[in-house]
Amino acid sequence: MSRVAALLTRLVTLLGLVALGVLGPATAHAQSSPGALATGIHISDGRLVEGNGNDFIMRGVNHAHTWYPGETQSLADVKALGANTVRVVLSNGHRWTKNSAADVAAVVSQCKANRLICVLEVHDTTGYGEDAAAGTLDQAADYWIGLKDVLAGEENYVIVNIGNEPWGNTNPAGWTDPTIAAIKKLRNAGFEHTIMVDAPNWGQDWQGVMRANAQTVYDADTTGNLIFSIHMYSVYDTAQEITDYLNAFVNAGLPILIGEFGGPPDQWGDPDEDTMMAAAQQLRLGYLAWSWSGNTDPILDLSIGFDPSRLSSWGQRIFNGANGIAQTSREATVFGGGNPGDTQAPTAPGTPTASAVTATSLSLTWTAATDNVGVTGYDVVRVSGGSESTVAASTTNTVAVTGLTADTTYTFAVYARDAAGNRSARSATVNVTTDEGGSTPGVGCSVGYRIIGEWPGGFQGEITIRNTGTTAISGWTLAFAFANGQTVTNMWGGTPTQNGGAVRVTPASYTSTIPAAGSVTVGFTGSKGATNTAPTAFSLNGSTCATT
């Protein structure tokens, strides 16, 4: 995602993407890629498929490898959370330190070892035409050609995303010809990989240039193995904008995915990530969330500090929420997953049992299901009369269910699924009544406050709340005060309210319970003046906490 976003993006509400509906089923038809050139992942009838013709629907994340080359464990971590794809940020050396051929080869090897499809992208092109530091698509194409020896033979595992968000908001119509030229340059150099192209307008195409010229760009690829990538952030804050855009490509038979997207609101708007994920699932399109960790503005970090055990609320939404990765991801068949010939469903899981029941959350555990190939995940449902709704998903036989109401009886059951999408019969049900709730009097607590980083006018902070008592704290309010006029601007892990210097924080669903001897962490960004003194006193549910 670009760190720079123009205020012009908000004009999309007035211009209306609907008015840009120049693609339609009657006027645009994508060709199928010739079978002789389909050496690996390729396009067939407007869809991304594997070499065996099996649909491949990307469910994954972006990872900022070029800025954090030491965080290679991240690939294993996102795989363990259910992802089937990772989009890897690289640099051709124009703006950041160049990723060498040996480094790229190692990344591809690590993706394969972790059974992930690898989308490789050059980030230096971001915002060309508006950002003077950005490189060109032609330079990006030269970088890929320099890597041909590394990438040849990896067509089953690697997609080449020529350049990230390769045009800003200045004259976005200039995007079309360089995009076509870069595609042709790679094909003339002998690349047979599926190629991915990002949209202008910092990837969001709010002026519809990619949408209007998609057929022309697609036709320029003689192999037909080209997929378009739209990046959906604050421009896409209504369901109609999202579904109109995606359906324009689907109806025209043109392949597309959501190559980046965010959910947390920013100063330009509040993206509708629920519709993005639901529409992608309904239309069987890929999505890749931005991003695993390490953002300058950490509200888009899926994990805190590259730690898979510390998912942010955004990370919980992506991995464990409705239409999320754990629920919808299917491993590529090239790794043995998603066998289209597998029609045998897993056995039903064992009856779930509840533990760690609080006013708003609980844990469920069940005996694992079995399958002739292998169980890849579980869906936990709430049963109410003759209906049911999915409340959580997991790749293991245990899950935390949050966001519940105090003193309420719930009925839960579990389904198992395999890589081919076969779903088991439903398990037996369990009834659980949540606790009555209310604050815990006389809680024992300690609070650690630290500043992660500062910049002129702003800073990032982290607050760790530790339960030093012998019973769990369920539902809490943390209070403290700033002394120098600081203001919380964004927070993850909690919801702030502020009156002058006084701040009160209530928990997110996934931080609402603090186990005995356990802790939760809340992160935030804030504004500040010349002085940024840390708060010296904290209270939890009215009880004074020690400071650490």
Side-chain angles (χ1 to χ4, degrees):
M1 180 189 179
S2 164
R3 304 298 192 274
V4 180
L7 290 173
L8 288 173
T9 58
R10 304 308 307 140
L11 290 175
V12 72
T13 304
L14 299 175
L15 295 174
L17 284 171
V18 178
L20 296 170
V22 296
L23 294 179
T27 58
H29 301 279
Q31 62 190 30
S32 298
S33 55
L37 296 177
T39 58
I41 296 175
H42 61 284
I43 303 299
S44 177
D45 293 326
R47 298 198 58 77
L48 185 69
V49 300
E50 294 189 70
N52 61 6
N54 194 52
D55 257 17
F56 182 67
I57 303 172
M58 294 188 207
R59 289 288 181 267
V61 304
N62 288 263
H63 172 54
H65 173 72
T66 198
W67 302 310
Y68 301 96
E71 297 291 347
T72 53
Q73 175 63 31
S74 296
L75 300 179
D77 292 338
V78 299
K79 175 62 178 183
L81 289 165
N84 64 19
T85 306
V86 63
R87 181 172 178 256
V88 181
V89 177
L90 300 176
S91 173
N92 66 353
H94 179 84
R95 186 168 184 176
W96 295 286
T97 302
K98 181 178 180 180
N99 293 98
S100 67
D103 182 51
V104 175
V107 167
V108 173
S109 177
Q110 290 159 0
C111 283
K112 292 166 68 176
N114 287 292
R115 304 162 73 93
L116 290 163
I117 296 302
C118 202
V119 178
L120 303 176
E121 60 102 342
V122 167
H123 214 76
D124 306 66
T125 57
T126 305
Y128 180 79
E130 185 174 349
D131 189 338
T136 66
L137 281 171
D138 187 64
Q139 292 166 335
D142 286 340
Y143 175 71
W144 296 121
I145 291 170
L147 293 173
K148 186 179 177 184
D149 289 345
V150 168
L151 300 179
E154 302 293 352
E155 292 85 357
N156 277 307
Y157 308 98
V158 172
I159 293 172
V160 176
N161 189 177
I162 304 178
N164 181 70
E165 300 178 3
W167 213 275
N169 291 321
T170 302
N171 185 31
W175 165 90
T176 304
D177 289 342
T179 299
I180 290 173
I183 293 166
K184 289 183 174 180
K185 193 169 192 175
L186 291 180
R187 294 305 185 208
N188 290 338
F191 276 76
E192 295 182 357
H193 304 71
T194 289
I195 290 175
M196 184 184 295
V197 294
D198 284 7
N201 295 126
W202 301 91
Q204 297 198 80
D205 201 30
W206 62 269
Q207 289 176 295
V209 171
M210 185 172 82
R211 181 172 171 173
N213 293 279
Q215 189 67 56
T216 299
V217 173
Y218 186 87
D219 290 344
D221 184 354
T222 54
T223 74
N225 295 323
L226 184 77
I227 187 168
F228 296 94
S229 174
I230 183 66
H231 293 183
M232 289 186 163
Y233 292 100
S234 52
V235 163
Y236 296 91
D237 55 4
T238 70
Q240 184 173 353
E241 290 165 344
I242 295 161
T243 56
D244 281 352
Y245 195 93
L246 297 177
N247 276 304
F249 281 77
V250 171
N251 292 339
L254 290 167
I256 190 169
L257 83 155
I258 306 174
E260 288 185 19
F261 68 108
D266 57 28
Q267 61 266 50
W268 295 284
D270 186 0
D272 183 0
E273 71 276 15
D274 290 341
T275 297
M276 296 176 201
M277 296 168 72
Q281 182 64 11
Q282 178 186 7
L283 296 171
R284 297 177 59 77
L285 304 178
Y287 68 63
L288 304 172
W290 187 276
S291 75
W292 179 239
S293 198
N295 287 284
T296 303
D297 184 346
I299 63 169
L300 285 172
D301 279 1
L302 295 159
S303 67
I304 307 302
F306 295 93
D307 185 348
S309 69
R310 299 170 62 205
L311 294 182
S312 66
S313 57
W314 174 225
Q316 291 285 359
R317 175 70 188 90
I318 288 298
F319 286 103
N320 299 320
N323 299 305
I325 287 173
Q327 188 181 96
T328 65
S329 177
R330 303 290 182 267
E331 187 177 86
T333 63
V334 72
F335 300 120
N339 181 1
D342 177 15
T343 59
Q344 182 175 325
T347 61
T351 305
T353 58
S355 61
V357 180
T358 71
T360 59
S361 65
L362 54 86
S363 293
L364 293 174
T365 305
W366 54 90
T367 301
T370 59
D371 184 66
N372 63 316
V373 176
V375 174
T376 58
Y378 297 91
D379 299 323
V380 177
V381 296
R382 178 188 177 187
V383 181
S384 180
S387 64
E388 60 182 45
S389 57
T390 302
V391 295
S394 177
T395 56
T396 66
N397 64 325
T398 186
V399 72
V401 181
T402 59
L404 305 178
T405 302
D407 197 23
T408 302
T409 298
Y410 293 89
T411 301
F412 296 107
V414 184
Y415 291 93
R417 47 184 163 75
D418 63 19
N422 300 307
R423 201 182 199 199
S424 73
R426 196 175 77 185
S427 73
T429 59
V430 62
N431 295 323
V432 189
T433 302
T434 52
D435 291 346
E436 293 182 1
S439 62
T440 303
V443 297
C445 55
S446 66
V447 175
Y449 179 98
R450 70 186 183 112
I451 295 171
I452 304 296
E454 294 187 77
W455 55 91
F459 70 107
Q460 179 185 343
E462 183 178 85
I463 304 169
T464 299
I465 309 165
R466 179 167 293 278
N467 178 1
T468 59
T470 58
T471 59
I473 299 171
S474 177
W476 49 264
T477 299
L478 178 73
F480 62 91
F482 286 121
N484 308 124
Q486 301 99 316
T487 301
V488 176
T489 54
N490 285 296
M491 180 171 282
W492 50 101
T495 301
T497 57
Q498 185 165 352
N499 183 11
V503 181
R504 294 172 64 85
V505 180
T506 54
S509 59
Y510 62 94
T511 59
S512 61
T513 299
I514 313 177
S519 65
V520 296
T521 299
V522 175
F524 68 94
T525 55
S527 62
K528 68 175 184 68
T531 305
N532 188 20
T533 305
T536 57
F538 299 85
S539 66
L540 193 70
N541 292 345
S543 296
T544 300
C545 299
T547 55
T548 58

